């Protein structure tokens, strides 16, 4: 299991927008993100295994 911290940028394994982790538990990550109209979305909770780190240099790129 990957080691995450609050504020890390992640993306779903299946793709999608870059999200910021706002809450962590042993099994889940809760994330928020901005949509294409720059509106804040979430928070939405995902299983930890469903997300992957996004390198900082890639966090501004779209999926």
């Amino acid at each position: 299991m990957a080691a995450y911290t609050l504020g890390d940028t992640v993306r779903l394994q299946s793709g999608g927008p870059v999200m910021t982790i706002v809450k962590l538990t042993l099994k889940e990550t809760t994330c928020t993100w901005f949509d294409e109209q720059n509106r804040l979305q979430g928070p939405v909770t995902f299983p930890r295994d469903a997300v992957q780190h996004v390198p900082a240099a890639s966090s501004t790129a779209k999926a």
Side-chain angles (χ1 to χ4, degrees):
M1 183 182 307
Y4 298 113
T5 60
L6 293 178
D8 281 354
T9 52
V10 295
R11 179 177 281 136
L12 289 174
Q13 296 275 356
S14 59
V18 174
M19 303 178 287
T20 302
I21 296 176
V22 295
K23 181 180 176 184
L24 288 166
T25 67
L26 290 175
K27 295 184 180 183
E28 299 175 322
T29 60
T30 300
C31 304
T32 60
W33 67 96
F34 290 94
D35 66 15
E36 293 175 352
Q37 287 77 42
N38 209 32
R39 294 179 298 215
L40 183 63
Q41 300 295 309
V44 177
T45 301
F46 302 99
R48 284 181 84 141
D49 292 340
V51 298
Q52 61 186 357
H53 274 116
V54 174
S58 301
S59 64
T60 56
K62 290 200 171 215

